[in-house]
């Protein structure tokens, strides 16, 4: 049902002849209009011929309506609330304004009702904006506006699009609009309060916008409350975009450009696309994504979220989608990370859509067509995934220090997730992306939830009772207690196979002492290794490992040594494979094809080696 029928409906109480006017209008459109009399009650029925059924009924006697298509019904106020997504108060105020009724509001003190001071002023300011829109729109067709028309055409927007979005042009004059509106009966105080004009130093009134392309900015109810103006000429020393200042009716933190066009589709589709500029909104809508909106001269914030939550019915029982679109450059990535901070205010899911080659939606549509814009939005990814990837990308994950620092920065993002059930899964994902064990990452996330950064983890440390840690200790015990048996097999596996820093120090000391193949068991050999160890904790560990029983029933034999060292090497390979997988996941296979294929080949080879070692180690400790 269109806005015209809506207007016919809510003005019925003020104009008794509206039925006759509506009948003619809708008959011209090919609708069936019937009058039904039942026991003296008169109903006017409007329905499109193609539907073949009475769709909407206006009941003159009780001033209510019913839709036989969707089953909704109610009075004019409820109708407007549902159709325009307005609150009760907004609906009443809008109907009163249309019908010329002065509203009176009850005071908190219990005194007599009094007129609301701002009601009359708001209507005057809105009327001034309507007149300004007409003025600017007419100017867009003038010879002086050629630059503005070229700007739109270069971005793929013709006359129809300019008219649809109300584009206009502020002429090369200091006071053309101000004089025009003064002649229409608006006062200088009203034009200044509306932000349309401003006082000059001389005391006269001048236009706020000059030599610029303009877009009217509308609120949720469709009223024009301000303008956005784009610089066109190089000798214009003003900012690239200039918006209406804060006024009694224009609050930039509450305004979303394009919301009047997008609100129905946002509610219908259960999603909203947030773009960065006026032409981006136009491009998305023209490309078939009519849920796009943009902020007006400010970052996307809490008040904008409240507007969208109302349209999306964002609650515990229903969740929608918020899709941010940002350029892929540094500024766009920074904006996306800021958006993640506000993400937790939505119950619904939040995503990000990044266009290829750092193009905004308008540029993408111009370069690759409407389908490319829709594909970009369809290829959205969860905002938390993007935020984590951008955070850890700043660090060198090939180093221990880089991985640990990346973990510290990324863990708070996981801890902030509003959906607690997702935190364990994203913790595992973060561990995989970093190439780290799950336990330290989980600890970092838990600390972030408590607001405690916790002690810095030791370099390369692993839990003392982890399976791989036990294998590493067992290998060192064999070299210390049974050097003749361990011999060359042990010496062939260097310190890189040990994941713990202290164990690495002991392994280095074994090499400095001449290696297991050159030693015989006994106190002399243990003392020689201890003296070669430069790490104090390592020196103490040498004495501990020298007397700790081996994890084998009976005496150790060559097969036990072979199994232990196979497990040692398999564990080290597993760590290497995990690091390599993390690096492969962070690579774009299209942009870095050669590097991606090389790493994938190396990964395949390592996995084959690890499989062979696991088979060799069958039998267990």
């Amino acid at each position: 049902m269109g806005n015209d029928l809506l207007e016919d409906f809510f003005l019925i109480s003020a104009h008794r002849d509206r039925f006759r006017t509506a009948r003619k209008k809708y008959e011209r459109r090919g609708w069936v209009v019937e009058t039904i009399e039942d026991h003296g009650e008169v109903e006017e029925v409007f329905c499109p011929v193609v539907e073949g059924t009475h769709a909407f009924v206006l009941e003159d006697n009780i001033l209510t309506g019913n839709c036989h298509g969707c089953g909704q019904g109610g009075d004019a106020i409820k109708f407007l609330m549902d159709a325009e997504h307005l609150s009760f108060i907004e609906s009443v105020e809008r109907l009163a304004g249309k019908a010329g009724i002065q509203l009176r509001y009850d005071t908190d003190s219990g005194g007599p009702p009094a007129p609301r001071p701002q009601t009359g002023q708001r209507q005057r300011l809105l009327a001034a904006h309507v007149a300004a829109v007409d003025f600017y729109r007419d100017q867009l067709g003038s010879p002086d506006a050629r630059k503005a028309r070229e700007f739109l055409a270069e971005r793929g927007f013709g006359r129809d699009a300019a008219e649809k979005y109300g584009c206009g042009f502020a002429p090369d004059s200091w006071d053309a609009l101000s004089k025009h509106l003064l002649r229409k009966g608006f006062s200088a105080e009203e034009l200044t309060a509306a932000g349309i004009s401003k006082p000059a130093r001389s005391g006269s009134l001048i236009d706020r916008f000059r030599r610029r392309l303009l877009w009217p900015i509308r609120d949720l109810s469709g009223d024009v409350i301000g303008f956005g103006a784009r610089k066109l000429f190089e000798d214009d020393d003003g900012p690239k975009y200039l918006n209406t200042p804060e006024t009694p009716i224009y609050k930039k933190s509450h305004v979303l450009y394009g919301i009047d066009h997008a609100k129905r589709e946002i509610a219908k589709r259960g999603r909203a696309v947030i773009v960065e500029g006026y032409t981006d909104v136009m491009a998305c809508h023209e490309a078939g994504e009519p849920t796009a909106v943009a902020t007006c001269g400010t970052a996307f914030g809490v008040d904008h979220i409240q507007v969208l939550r109302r349209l999306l019915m964002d609650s515990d029982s229903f969740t929608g989608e918020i899709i941010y679109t940002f350029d892929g450059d540094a500024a766009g990535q920074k904006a996306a990370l800021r958006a993640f901070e506000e993400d937790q205010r939505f119950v619904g899911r939040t995503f990000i859509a990044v266009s290829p080659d750092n193009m905004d939606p308008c540029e993408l549509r111009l370069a690759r067509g409407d389908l490319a814009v829709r594909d970009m939005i369809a290829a959205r990814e969860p905002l938390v995934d993007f935020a984590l990837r951008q955070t850890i990308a700043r660090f060198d994950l090939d180093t221990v220090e880089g991985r640990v620092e990346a973990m510290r920065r990324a863990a708070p993002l996981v801890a902030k997730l509003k959906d607690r059930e997702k935190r364990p899964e994203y913790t595992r994902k973060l561990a995989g992306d970093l190439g780290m064990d799950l336990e330290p990452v989980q600890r970092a996330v838990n600390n972030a939830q408590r607001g405690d950064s916790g002690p810095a983890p030791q370099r390369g440390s692993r839990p003392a009772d982890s399976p791989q840690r036990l294998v590493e200790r067992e290998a060192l015990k064999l070299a210390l207690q049974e050097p003749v048996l361990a011999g060359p097999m042990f010496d062939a596996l260097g310190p890189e196979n040990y994941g713990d820093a202290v164990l690495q120090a002991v392994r280095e000391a074994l090499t400095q002492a001449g290696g297991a193949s050159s030693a015989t068991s006994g106190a002399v050999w243990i003392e020689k290794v201890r003296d070669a160890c430069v790490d104090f904790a390592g020196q103490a560990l040498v004495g501990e490992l020298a007397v700790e029983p081996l994890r084998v029933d009976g005496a150790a034999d060559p097969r036990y040594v072979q199994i232990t060292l196979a497990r040692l090497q398999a564990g080290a390979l597993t760590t290497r494979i995990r690091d390599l997988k993390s690096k492969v996941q962070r690579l774009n296979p299209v942009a870095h094809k050669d590097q991606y294929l090389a790493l994938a080949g190396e990964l395949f080879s390592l996995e084959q080696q690890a499989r062979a070692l696991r088979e060799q180690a069958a039998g267990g400790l």
Side-chain angles (χ1 to χ4, degrees):
M1 182 166 48
N3 284 333
D4 290 340
L5 183 54
L6 169 63
E7 187 169 323
D8 290 332
F9 179 33
F10 69 64
L11 287 182
I12 187 174
S13 60
H15 303 281
R16 308 298 293 180
D17 61 345
R18 288 301 292 248
F19 281 145
R20 292 189 293 274
T21 303
R23 171 189 290 276
K24 295 177 182 179
K25 177 163 54 177
Y26 289 103
E27 283 178 341
R28 287 196 300 270
R29 295 183 182 181
W31 287 40
V32 173
V33 182
E34 299 179 3
T35 300
I36 302 173
E37 293 191 24
D38 183 13
H39 302 290
E41 296 181 355
V42 180
E43 296 181 349
E44 289 286 337
V45 180
F46 299 80
C47 94
V49 174
V50 294
E51 292 188 4
T53 182
H54 297 160
F56 186 74
V57 178
L58 297 179
E59 301 182 27
D60 186 18
N61 58 316
I62 56 175
L63 305 179
T64 61
N66 293 280
C67 179
H68 298 303
C70 66
Q72 291 295 317
D75 58 16
I77 296 174
K78 184 177 186 304
F79 188 104
L80 196 58
M81 290 173 65
D82 293 341
E84 296 293 320
H85 303 284
L86 303 178
S87 67
F88 177 83
I89 294 176
E90 289 170 335
S91 298
V92 172
E93 289 179 339
R94 182 172 177 187
L95 293 174
K98 292 286 186 179
I101 299 172
Q102 176 67 53
L103 293 175
R104 303 182 73 84
Y105 297 79
D106 289 335
T107 61
D108 295 335
S109 61
R116 192 178 182 184
Q118 297 299 320
T119 302
Q121 181 193 38
R122 176 179 174 82
Q123 295 304 321
R124 292 291 295 171
L125 299 186
L126 292 177
H129 276 88
V130 170
V133 169
D134 293 338
F135 175 85
Y136 286 138
R137 185 179 293 166
D138 291 341
Q139 292 296 318
L140 187 60
S142 68
D144 292 342
R146 178 180 177 182
K147 189 78 172 177
R149 295 192 297 272
E150 290 177 349
F151 177 92
L152 292 171
E154 289 169 357
R155 285 154 181 79
F157 306 117
R159 178 180 298 178
D160 291 343
E163 292 180 356
K164 177 179 178 180
Y165 299 97
C167 297
F169 177 70
D172 187 8
S173 169
W174 289 105
D175 57 3
L177 175 62
S178 298
K179 288 182 177 179
H180 173 75
L181 296 180
L182 289 171
R183 287 194 296 268
K184 282 186 168 290
F186 295 99
S187 67
E189 291 75 16
E190 288 172 336
L191 298 182
T192 302
I196 294 173
S197 305
K198 58 183 180 180
R201 292 179 181 176
S202 62
S204 60
L205 205 63
I206 61 174
D207 299 345
R208 181 167 297 277
F209 305 111
R210 176 172 170 262
R211 302 171 70 208
R212 285 178 175 251
L213 174 64
L214 285 100
W215 288 267
I217 299 172
R218 301 176 186 270
D219 62 12
L220 196 61
S221 65
D223 291 325
V224 179
I225 57 175
F227 293 95
R230 209 279 188 188
K231 181 169 71 173
L232 297 171
F233 301 94
E234 293 297 330
D235 59 349
D236 185 342
D237 57 359
K240 184 177 180 180
Y241 283 95
L242 183 64
N243 290 347
T244 295
E246 295 278 314
T247 72
I249 62 173
Y250 179 83
K251 307 296 181 185
K252 63 183 180 180
S253 63
H254 294 70
V255 176
L256 288 167
Y257 175 73
I259 194 69
D260 54 312
H261 289 285
K263 61 184 179 183
R264 286 187 178 85
E265 290 298 325
I266 290 175
K268 178 181 177 181
R269 302 188 185 196
R271 78 180 186 198
V273 177
I274 313 300
V275 298
E276 293 188 335
Y278 305 119
T279 55
D280 293 331
V281 171
M282 294 173 66
C284 286
H285 283 243
E286 295 300 300
E289 184 50 62
T291 64
V293 293
T295 59
C296 301
T298 185
F300 188 80
V302 176
D303 294 322
H304 299 123
I305 290 173
Q306 295 306 317
V307 173
L308 292 180
R309 286 199 67 180
R310 201 163 89 191
L311 294 177
L312 290 168
M313 295 181 290
D314 189 61
S315 64
D316 293 338
S317 60
F318 179 86
T319 59
E321 290 186 2
I322 303 296
I323 304 173
Y324 298 95
T325 63
F326 295 107
D327 296 345
D329 57 14
Q333 294 172 10
K334 186 176 180 180
L337 293 177
R338 283 199 309 268
F340 179 80
E341 295 299 318
E342 299 293 346
D343 169 55
Q344 311 315 309
R345 296 178 183 272
F346 283 108
V347 175
R349 296 163 294 169
T350 50
F351 298 84
I352 185 169
V354 179
S355 62
D357 302 323
N358 296 339
M359 291 187 288
D360 58 39
C362 184
E363 294 169 337
L364 181 62
R365 176 175 179 257
L366 201 61
R368 304 184 185 179
D370 293 348
L371 181 60
V373 176
R374 297 197 298 271
D375 286 345
M376 176 194 72
I377 295 171
R380 62 195 181 277
E381 68 171 321
L383 183 58
V384 60
D385 290 27
F386 178 86
L388 287 173
R389 188 172 68 253
Q390 294 300 321
T391 299
I392 66 178
R394 302 199 302 264
F395 304 95
D396 182 4
L397 301 186
D398 292 332
T399 66
V400 173
E401 291 77 7
R403 289 194 294 271
V404 171
E405 190 61 29
M407 177 189 69
R408 290 173 179 167
R409 299 295 181 89
L413 301 182
V414 177
K416 288 179 182 178
L417 288 176
K418 57 181 174 288
D419 190 341
R420 294 177 179 272
E421 294 180 356
K422 292 181 179 178
R423 291 176 187 170
E425 187 62 32
Y426 273 103
T427 301
R428 285 189 287 271
K429 182 181 185 303
L430 177 59
D433 291 343
L434 294 173
M436 298 179 66
D437 289 333
L438 177 61
E439 192 274 337
V441 178
Q442 180 67 69
R443 185 168 58 247
V445 172
N446 291 340
N447 289 339
Q449 287 179 233
R450 294 192 300 266
D452 177 20
S453 59
Q458 294 182 356
R459 182 182 181 272
S461 64
R462 293 183 178 179
D465 57 348
S466 71
Q468 186 60 22
R469 176 72 171 271
L470 294 176
V471 170
E472 293 170 3
R473 289 174 64 92
E474 194 72 6
L476 293 176
K477 285 191 291 183
L478 284 170
L480 289 169
Q481 298 178 28
E482 302 287 348
V484 175
L485 195 61
M489 284 192 297
F490 174 86
D491 292 340
L493 302 179
E496 68 276 4
N497 290 281
Y498 298 81
D500 182 85
V502 179
L503 295 181
Q504 287 177 352
V506 174
R507 178 62 186 85
E508 289 280 4
L510 283 162
T511 300
Q512 295 300 320
S517 57
S518 66
T520 56
S521 59
V524 175
W525 167 238
I526 301 301
E527 192 64 28
K528 188 175 182 181
V529 174
R530 183 185 290 112
D531 291 343
C533 189
V534 296
D535 186 281
F536 290 112
Q539 292 175 3
L541 185 60
V542 169
E544 179 183 333
L545 295 176
V547 296
E548 184 178 299
L550 294 171
R551 298 169 61 85
V552 61
D553 294 332
D557 57 16
R559 173 169 170 73
Y560 180 70
V561 174
Q562 183 181 21
I563 290 175
T564 301
L565 297 180
R567 286 189 168 185
L568 173 68
Q569 194 174 4
L573 274 180
T574 300
T575 301
R576 171 61 180 155
I577 289 170
R578 186 179 59 207
D579 293 344
L580 205 56
K581 282 183 176 179
S582 172
K583 185 176 294 186
V584 170
Q585 289 172 356
R586 298 192 302 271
L587 277 179
N588 186 319
V590 177
H592 306 90
K593 181 179 179 181
D594 293 341
Q595 186 180 2
Y596 182 87
L597 292 175
L599 290 177
E602 183 181 354
L603 183 60
F604 178 75
S605 176
L606 290 177
E607 287 179 334
Q608 284 187 317
Q609 294 179 43
R611 188 179 302 112
L613 286 168
R614 285 193 293 270
E615 292 175 357
Q616 183 179 347
L621 289 177

